[in-house]
Amino acid sequence: MPRSVLAVLVLIAFTLLPSPAAAGDIRLHVDASEVARKVIHVREVIPTQPESLTLHYPQWIPGRHRPVGQIANVTEFRAAANGKVLTWKRADADPFTVDVTIPDGCKEIEVTFDLLLAAGAEGGAQFMTVASPKLLMLNWNDVLMYPQLDLPGAAPLEELTFAPMVKLPAGWACGTALPIKGATAGVTTFGSVALGMLVDSPLLAGEHVREVPLDGASGKHRVFIACDSVAGLDAPEATLAAWKRLPGEAEKLFGPAKPYTNYTFLLGLSNHIPRAGIEHHQSSDNRLAELALVKAGERKASATLFPHEFVHSWNGKYRRPADMLKRDYQKPQQTRLLWVYEGLTNYLGWLLAVRSGLYTPDEGRDYLAMTAARMSNVKARGWRPLDDTAAAASTLFDATGAWRSARRSVDFYDEGTLLWLEADVLIRTRTKGAKTLDDFCKAFFGTGTGAPEVERYALDDVLKALNEVAPYDWKGHFARRVEAVAEAPPLDGITSGGWALAYSDKPTDLFTTMEGLAKGVNLADSVGFSVSADGLVGDTVPNSPGAKAGLAPGMKLIAVNGRRFSPDGLKAAVGATKSGGKLELLAESGDFFKTHVIDYKDGLRYPRLDRTAGKPDVLGELMGPKTK
């Protein structure tokens, strides 16, 4: 692909090859032997000069889109040199920064601290380093401090190097994208590595582990699994076969050039860590429930996880919005282009899930139906454009699920799926099938050199590449879809693809699976609210029948039509409204009770896609596998 002046190639020269610790390396010793107690001990030896040293604890980590550093869980912080304790002081307006007074003649200091890990799933996906008694997902940014980079003579991010090592509990094994220099007596050592690559290369360790090669002897792609039990490691053959097809389908999508040397899917399976998926250049940090590979429902619920994070190696890690590239980990990122970074990845992740076989075509369409319905229920779109959800991502990621329809959430993910499906169908129809979004992906993302590097881009670069594939007013198109408010989500990709969003009184299998895993009742498409298994009302769609009757998030349903609340009883009552049944809900709000009479006559409604007669099945064509 011809590269514009704005898209100058920025090579981050990460040191990957094992080597002895260099004189300028920061020696990082991480002792995780007591991880079962949720404590990690850290020791750093940092080369320095006399007078003072400013140290940062990382907070804005690439791929997280908001500050996530666990500085509140850092304890026992001390600095010393030549056997003497040094004075340090935290910055007034920045709790992630400390200044250390350095004595004359000092050439290095020792910094020690403990990291206290969250209990169970506490803190959610914002916590990057998590553990159960049987496994650990270690993200190095949580267990290090680094010298300030914007001082005269300071090494830039790609030149500041570390010599890391980690001590694990006896009998544990680990997987990571970093080349391992040596492993003995529970201690794993790595060669000199640049700070950027270190932070970009998490480590998964555990007592019960399994490695799954995805492409035979080449070793280019693999899955490394750690689980709380041996039973949870037993993925079915169909899942393993789909994983093995994934790299080939990605190559058909992006072309043969890779933005990585080798790629490792790290998969932590535990009921005692938060679920997550975090992208990295040469690996991904994936976390699911202990038996997620064994239980069919949980496998389907997580079908897009590996494809999504894998796509990020091209979109987000290799090609990255220029405003999201910062000199260090303390500068806030500008996230306005997340509808490209995450939205396009969400679409391509869904696409690869279907093409590789993690979803059947029917499940792929059911996924789209649920996405389209969910975005149709977001009434805040009437005042808040998609662009604003991306710009305000750091405030929305950890917001509660309640009121999301009224204020919007990180909708650039789900709406991004619809947005880029529409772009794909547009390209196919305008070129009469000669070109597809796959061609854009090859031109824009498929120019890697087989090593982790970053090429920055601006929106104009995206528009230019799209126009080279299929001339169109892409600038105006995305201005309407992204920057303007709209009462309805972009559904043209579905309708022009030969299908239509419809509703039935029977849920699809995928809807039933998702609803079951949520342990509640999803009635957003009928009466306009969701409710947990014990009756707690969740998100409520503005102006829906439930909202008009006075229901709101946080209320608790006590009775349905005079009978004690149960999920099945509520579904039955809503279904009976189609034949004239009443719907009266007794709800508790704080210390008060009220009966809410819902004016509703349409019964149960669940989203699905119906085939449109006389239109070509473009959707079926684009979902088809590209490898034999």
Side-chain angles (χ1 to χ4, degrees):
M1 177 189 73
R3 305 187 181 189
S4 69
V5 175
L6 287 175
V8 175
L9 183 63
V10 180
L11 294 179
I12 297 188
F14 298 126
T15 303
L16 291 178
L17 298 177
S19 64
D25 285 345
I26 295 174
R27 302 194 295 280
L28 175 61
H29 298 225
V30 177
D31 182 354
S33 58
E34 289 192 288
V35 73
R37 293 185 55 244
K38 300 298 181 73
V39 179
I40 295 177
H41 309 289
V42 179
R43 174 177 174 266
E44 284 184 88
V45 179
I46 305 173
T48 187
Q49 301 293 327
E51 295 183 1
S52 66
L53 176 68
T54 298
L55 295 176
H56 293 306
Y57 188 80
Q59 56 174 317
W60 280 85
I61 309 304
R64 307 305 287 129
H65 314 316
R66 79 276 206 194
V68 293
Q70 296 192 51
I71 191 65
N73 289 330
V74 169
T75 185
E76 297 292 333
F77 179 86
R78 291 179 174 83
N82 300 324
K84 296 182 179 179
V85 175
L86 302 181
T87 301
W88 62 272
K89 187 174 184 179
R90 195 178 304 275
D92 289 338
D94 180 6
F96 291 81
T97 298
V98 298
D99 293 311
V100 182
T101 302
I102 307 298
D104 290 341
C106 179
K107 294 183 178 180
E108 61 182 28
I109 69 167
E110 180 184 76
V111 170
T112 58
F113 63 87
D114 289 348
L115 177 66
L116 307 176
L117 301 182
E122 180 186 50
Q126 65 174 300
F127 286 169
M128 296 185 67
T129 296
V130 294
S132 77
K134 298 296 183 180
L135 67 83
L136 163 69
M137 183 67 81
L138 174 69
N139 279 267
W140 299 95
N141 51 279
D142 285 328
V143 292
L144 63 82
M145 299 191 78
Y146 67 96
Q148 185 166 315
L149 297 178
D150 57 4
L151 295 175
L157 192 63
E158 68 271 19
E159 294 178 7
L160 187 62
T161 58
F162 281 70
M165 57 156 285
V166 61
K167 182 179 182 181
L168 299 172
W172 283 31
C174 68
T176 176
L178 288 177
I180 295 175
K181 180 182 175 182
T184 180
V187 177
T188 303
T189 59
F190 307 88
S192 179
V193 58
L195 174 60
M197 181 52 73
L198 181 63
V199 169
D200 203 40
S201 303
L203 178 145
L204 174 62
E207 180 176 336
H208 310 298
V209 303
R210 179 186 182 186
E211 183 170 327
V212 181
L214 299 187
D215 38 18
S218 75
K220 191 80 174 178
H221 306 87
R222 64 170 181 155
V223 180
F224 183 86
I225 312 170
C227 183
D228 276 351
S229 66
V230 174
L233 298 172
D234 191 19
E237 287 301 319
T239 298
L240 297 177
W243 286 354
K244 291 175 181 179
R245 285 193 292 269
L246 182 55
E249 288 294 341
E251 182 167 320
K252 289 292 185 180
L253 176 62
F254 293 111
K258 304 291 192 297
Y260 52 81
T261 305
N262 297 288
Y263 192 91
T264 301
F265 296 92
L266 301 173
L267 179 58
L269 300 172
S270 172
N271 296 331
H272 305 290
I273 61 175
R275 311 296 176 261
I278 307 170
E279 66 268 18
H280 297 281
H281 255 117
Q282 302 199 113
S283 64
S284 51
D285 171 352
N286 307 280
R287 313 170 197 168
L288 295 170
E290 179 180 343
L291 299 179
L293 297 181
V294 178
K295 295 183 177 180
E298 297 198 27
R299 287 199 307 273
K300 290 303 177 187
S302 60
T304 63
L305 178 60
F306 273 15
H308 180 106
E309 303 307 335
F310 192 32
V311 167
H312 267 317
S313 189
W314 288 266
N315 182 21
K317 302 307 292 186
Y318 169 45
R319 296 304 307 268
R320 197 177 308 174
D323 288 339
M324 296 182 71
L325 280 166
K326 299 299 178 182
R327 178 175 169 80
D328 63 19
Y329 300 121
Q330 314 313 119
K331 306 292 190 303
Q333 299 171 10
Q334 297 174 37
T335 56
R336 194 173 293 276
L337 282 183
L338 280 178
W339 61 272
V340 181
Y341 182 120
E342 292 290 2
L344 176 55
T345 297
N346 221 48
Y347 171 65
L348 297 177
W350 163 81
L351 190 64
L352 288 179
V354 182
R355 288 181 179 178
S356 66
L358 288 164
Y359 271 151
T360 66
D362 283 345
E363 290 164 342
R365 285 188 290 270
D366 293 344
Y367 177 100
L368 288 181
M370 293 170 62
T371 301
R374 186 161 53 249
M375 289 296 97
S376 296
N377 288 326
V378 175
K379 304 307 179 184
R381 62 186 318 108
W383 68 267
R384 188 176 206 168
L386 185 67
D387 171 79
D388 190 61
T389 70
S394 63
T395 69
L396 294 174
F397 264 107
D398 298 313
T400 63
W403 299 115
R404 64 179 297 167
S405 298
R407 59 154 155 76
R408 300 200 79 160
S409 184
V410 287
D411 291 351
F412 43 83
Y413 285 94
D414 283 344
E415 192 147 323
T417 298
L418 303 175
L419 183 72
W420 287 99
L421 170 64
E422 181 184 45
D424 198 349
V425 174
L426 258 174
I427 293 172
R428 291 168 184 266
T429 55
R430 291 186 65 82
T431 65
K432 295 181 170 50
K435 297 288 185 179
T436 73
L437 193 68
D438 294 35
D439 295 291
F440 164 77
C441 289
K442 289 181 179 68
F444 196 71
F445 298 110
T447 56
T449 63
E453 56 194 33
V454 179
E455 185 178 353
R456 66 181 70 227
Y457 69 82
L459 178 57
D460 284 346
D461 299 309
V462 178
L463 302 177
K464 181 176 182 293
L466 284 168
N467 271 304
E468 289 174 350
V469 172
Y472 183 61
D473 180 18
W474 292 106
K475 182 176 182 179
H477 173 79
F478 286 122
R480 292 187 297 273
R481 290 289 189 245
V482 177
E483 298 174 18
V485 296
E487 295 299 326
L491 300 182
D492 286 0
I494 294 174
T495 56
S496 297
W499 296 78
L501 176 63
Y503 293 89
S504 167
D505 60 0
K506 302 294 183 184
T508 63
D509 289 343
L510 188 63
F511 188 101
T512 299
T513 294
M514 297 296 196
E515 186 180 55
L517 291 173
K519 299 179 180 178
V521 180
N522 181 356
L523 298 170
D525 300 303
S526 52
V527 288
F529 61 87
S530 61
V531 60
S532 68
D534 60 357
L536 192 66
V537 177
D539 189 35
T540 305
V541 179
N543 298 319
S544 66
K548 289 178 179 178
L551 289 174
M555 294 181 178
K556 186 173 183 179
L557 301 186
I558 305 299
V560 180
N561 292 340
R563 186 171 182 175
R564 186 183 304 277
F565 165 82
S566 70
D568 288 342
L570 176 60
K571 284 185 181 180
V574 173
T577 61
K578 201 166 187 177
S579 56
K582 67 179 181 179
L583 190 57
E584 297 179 357
L585 307 181
L586 175 63
E588 176 185 3
S589 182
D591 293 334
F592 304 94
F593 296 83
K594 181 180 178 179
T595 297
H596 300 263
V597 180
I598 299 181
D599 183 11
Y600 180 72
K601 305 296 181 186
D602 293 331
L604 293 166
R605 297 174 80 243
Y606 298 102
R608 56 181 295 159
L609 294 189
D610 283 347
R611 185 76 174 88
T612 304
K615 280 192 172 184
D617 186 7
V618 180
L619 197 56
E621 180 184 328
L622 66 85
M623 289 194 301
K626 305 306 175 188
T627 58
K628 295 181 180 180

